[in-house]
Amino acid sequence: MEAVEKIKKTHDMLLKNISIVNIGIFSPSNCSIVDFNKIYTPIEIRKIPLIDVVDGNTCSLIKFSGEAFDKLPNALGIVDAFHTAFEEGMTRGCPFVSSECVVRDAVSKNLCTEVKISPSLDPVYIDVIFSKSENRIFMETARSIHEYGKILFSHK
Protein backbone atom coordinates (compact mmCIF):
# COMPACT_ATOMS: atom_id res chain seq x y z
CA MET A 1 0.00 0.00 0.00
CA GLU A 2 2.85 2.38 0.83
CA ALA A 3 4.40 2.04 -2.67
CA VAL A 4 1.06 2.88 -4.32
CA GLU A 5 0.75 5.93 -2.07
CA LYS A 6 4.25 7.17 -3.06
CA ILE A 7 3.41 6.78 -6.77
CA LYS A 8 0.19 8.72 -6.28
CA LYS A 9 2.11 11.49 -4.53
CA THR A 10 4.59 11.59 -7.44
CA HIS A 11 1.72 11.96 -9.90
CA ASP A 12 0.48 14.91 -7.87
CA MET A 13 3.68 16.87 -8.52
CA LEU A 14 4.21 19.47 -11.23
CA LEU A 15 7.57 20.14 -12.91
CA LYS A 16 8.01 23.50 -14.59
CA ASN A 17 11.12 24.41 -16.55
CA ILE A 18 12.28 27.95 -15.79
CA SER A 19 15.28 28.12 -18.07
CA ILE A 20 18.01 26.33 -19.94
CA VAL A 21 21.45 27.66 -18.97
CA ASN A 22 24.28 27.22 -21.45
CA ILE A 23 27.56 26.49 -19.73
CA GLY A 24 31.15 26.37 -20.87
CA ILE A 25 34.71 26.46 -19.72
CA PHE A 26 36.18 29.93 -19.58
CA SER A 27 39.56 31.32 -18.63
CA PRO A 28 41.18 34.68 -17.97
CA SER A 29 42.45 35.89 -21.36
CA ASN A 30 46.04 36.01 -20.09
CA CYS A 31 46.01 32.42 -18.72
CA SER A 32 49.04 30.36 -19.79
CA ILE A 33 47.42 27.00 -18.92
CA VAL A 34 45.08 27.11 -21.92
CA ASP A 35 45.85 27.17 -25.64
CA PHE A 36 43.00 29.36 -26.96
CA ASN A 37 43.63 28.18 -30.55
CA LYS A 38 43.12 24.51 -29.65
CA ILE A 39 39.80 22.63 -29.56
CA TYR A 40 39.81 20.43 -26.46
CA THR A 41 38.20 16.98 -26.25
CA PRO A 42 36.40 15.64 -23.15
CA ILE A 43 39.48 13.55 -22.28
CA GLU A 44 41.71 16.63 -22.46
CA ILE A 45 39.27 18.64 -20.32
CA ARG A 46 39.76 16.09 -17.51
CA LYS A 47 43.47 16.99 -17.48
CA ILE A 48 43.05 20.79 -17.29
CA PRO A 49 43.34 22.24 -13.78
CA LEU A 50 40.17 24.29 -13.33
CA ILE A 51 37.49 25.46 -10.91
CA ASP A 52 34.59 23.02 -11.23
CA VAL A 53 30.93 23.58 -10.38
CA VAL A 54 29.01 20.73 -8.76
CA ASP A 55 25.35 19.99 -8.17
CA GLY A 56 23.63 19.16 -4.89
CA ASN A 57 25.03 15.61 -5.07
CA THR A 58 28.59 17.00 -5.51
CA CYS A 59 28.75 15.70 -9.10
CA SER A 60 30.30 17.93 -11.73
CA LEU A 61 27.92 19.88 -13.96
CA ILE A 62 30.24 19.11 -16.88
CA LYS A 63 28.41 16.69 -19.15
CA PHE A 64 29.08 15.77 -22.76
CA SER A 65 26.02 14.23 -24.48
CA GLY A 66 24.65 13.16 -21.12
CA GLU A 67 27.93 11.60 -19.97
CA ALA A 68 28.92 13.18 -16.68
CA PHE A 69 32.26 13.63 -14.98
CA ASP A 70 31.53 12.66 -11.37
CA LYS A 71 34.81 14.16 -10.28
CA LEU A 72 37.53 15.97 -12.19
CA PRO A 73 40.91 14.66 -11.05
CA ASN A 74 42.72 17.95 -11.72
CA ALA A 75 40.12 20.32 -10.24
CA LEU A 76 41.82 23.22 -8.46
CA GLY A 77 38.65 23.96 -6.58
CA ILE A 78 35.04 22.83 -6.35
CA VAL A 79 32.19 25.30 -5.88
CA ASP A 80 28.42 25.15 -6.11
CA ALA A 81 27.68 28.33 -8.09
CA PHE A 82 28.68 29.75 -11.47
CA HIS A 83 29.35 33.20 -9.99
CA THR A 84 31.73 31.73 -7.42
CA ALA A 85 33.58 29.74 -10.10
CA PHE A 86 33.93 32.91 -12.19
CA GLU A 87 35.30 34.92 -9.24
CA GLU A 88 37.68 32.12 -8.18
CA GLY A 89 38.92 31.52 -11.72
CA MET A 90 39.53 35.19 -12.41
CA THR A 91 41.23 35.69 -9.02
CA ARG A 92 43.45 32.60 -9.33
CA GLY A 93 44.10 33.13 -13.05
CA CYS A 94 42.89 29.67 -14.05
CA PRO A 95 40.11 28.10 -16.17
CA PHE A 96 36.65 27.68 -14.66
CA VAL A 97 33.20 26.33 -15.44
CA SER A 98 30.51 28.97 -15.72
CA SER A 99 27.44 30.07 -17.62
CA GLU A 100 27.42 32.41 -20.58
CA CYS A 101 25.25 34.96 -18.77
CA VAL A 102 27.70 35.20 -15.82
CA VAL A 103 30.78 35.84 -17.99
CA ARG A 104 29.13 37.93 -20.71
CA ASP A 105 30.46 41.28 -19.48
CA ALA A 106 34.02 39.98 -18.88
CA VAL A 107 34.09 38.33 -22.33
CA SER A 108 32.91 41.56 -24.00
CA LYS A 109 35.81 43.39 -22.29
CA ASN A 110 38.31 40.65 -23.33
CA LEU A 111 39.03 39.87 -19.67
CA CYS A 112 38.15 36.23 -20.18
CA THR A 113 37.74 33.88 -23.13
CA GLU A 114 35.78 30.70 -23.72
CA VAL A 115 37.88 27.56 -24.06
CA LYS A 116 36.97 25.78 -27.30
CA ILE A 117 35.70 22.25 -26.73
CA SER A 118 34.09 19.63 -28.93
CA PRO A 119 31.49 18.42 -28.39
CA SER A 120 30.06 21.34 -26.44
CA LEU A 121 28.90 20.94 -22.85
CA ASP A 122 25.30 19.98 -22.20
CA PRO A 123 23.18 22.84 -20.86
CA VAL A 124 21.81 22.86 -17.31
CA TYR A 125 18.04 22.76 -16.94
CA ILE A 126 16.59 24.91 -14.17
CA ASP A 127 13.29 23.45 -12.99
CA VAL A 128 10.81 24.12 -10.21
CA ILE A 129 8.93 21.19 -8.70
CA PHE A 130 5.80 21.78 -6.69
CA SER A 131 2.69 19.92 -5.61
CA LYS A 132 -0.56 20.08 -7.51
CA SER A 133 -2.86 21.68 -5.04
CA GLU A 134 -6.37 22.97 -4.97
CA ASN A 135 -5.23 25.61 -2.49
CA ARG A 136 -5.61 28.89 -4.39
CA ILE A 137 -3.09 30.82 -2.24
CA PHE A 138 -0.45 28.08 -2.63
CA MET A 139 -0.93 27.92 -6.41
CA GLU A 140 -0.69 31.71 -6.76
CA THR A 141 2.56 31.65 -4.76
CA ALA A 142 3.95 28.75 -6.84
CA ARG A 143 3.08 30.53 -10.09
CA SER A 144 4.70 33.76 -8.89
CA ILE A 145 7.89 31.83 -8.01
CA HIS A 146 7.83 30.26 -11.47
CA GLU A 147 7.36 33.62 -13.20
CA TYR A 148 10.09 35.25 -11.09
CA GLY A 149 12.44 32.38 -11.94
CA LYS A 150 11.82 32.83 -15.67
CA ILE A 151 12.73 36.52 -15.34
CA LEU A 152 15.76 35.79 -13.14
CA PHE A 153 17.23 33.24 -15.55
CA SER A 154 16.30 35.09 -18.74
CA HIS A 155 19.26 35.59 -21.07
CA LYS A 156 17.89 38.81 -22.54
Side-chain angles (χ1 to χ4, degrees):
M1 184 68 164
E2 191 175 315
V4 173
E5 196 171 308
K6 285 182 182 177
I7 290 170
K8 185 175 185 283
K9 286 181 181 176
T10 303
H11 288 302
D12 286 343
M13 301 300 285
L14 291 175
L15 176 69
K16 295 280 189 179
N17 179 256
I18 294 173
S19 184
I20 298 172
V21 179
N22 292 318
I23 65 171
I25 297 174
F26 301 87
S27 180
S29 297
N30 60 356
C31 179
S32 61
I33 297 172
V34 177
D35 178 354
F36 292 106
N37 297 312
K38 178 181 172 115
I39 299 174
Y40 289 86
T41 66
I43 291 170
E44 293 169 319
I45 293 301
R46 292 179 66 97
K47 298 175 184 173
I48 295 176
L50 54 74
I51 307 294
D52 194 15
V53 178
V54 295
D55 62 18
N57 297 318
T58 67
C59 293
S60 176
L61 290 182
I62 296 178
K63 292 178 179 59
F64 293 93
S65 302
E67 182 181 336
F69 291 160
D70 288 341
K71 302 275 186 278
L72 288 177
N74 286 340
L76 293 175
I78 297 171
V79 297
D80 62 1
F82 293 130
H83 287 86
T84 308
F86 169 66
E87 291 167 10
E88 287 288 320
M90 294 302 286
T91 301
R92 295 184 188 194
C94 67
F96 55 91
V97 177
S98 195
S99 70
E100 293 173 354
C101 56
V102 170
V103 300
R104 184 178 295 132
D105 188 50
V107 168
S108 72
K109 295 176 181 174
N110 291 324
L111 298 174
C112 76
T113 305
E114 186 168 9
V115 176
K116 296 176 199 156
I117 50 180
S118 182
S120 60
L121 295 177
D122 292 354
V124 173
Y125 295 87
I126 308 297
D127 298 322
V128 171
I129 301 173
F130 57 91
S131 173
K132 288 182 186 176
S133 173
E134 301 304 319
N135 183 315
R136 183 183 57 79
I137 295 170
F138 173 80
M139 290 307 291
E140 286 174 3
T141 304
R143 284 189 187 96
S144 68
I145 291 169
H146 179 240
E147 290 304 314
Y148 178 76
K150 289 196 303 189
I151 293 166
L152 183 67
F153 290 103
S154 172
H155 297 290
K156 295 177 183 176

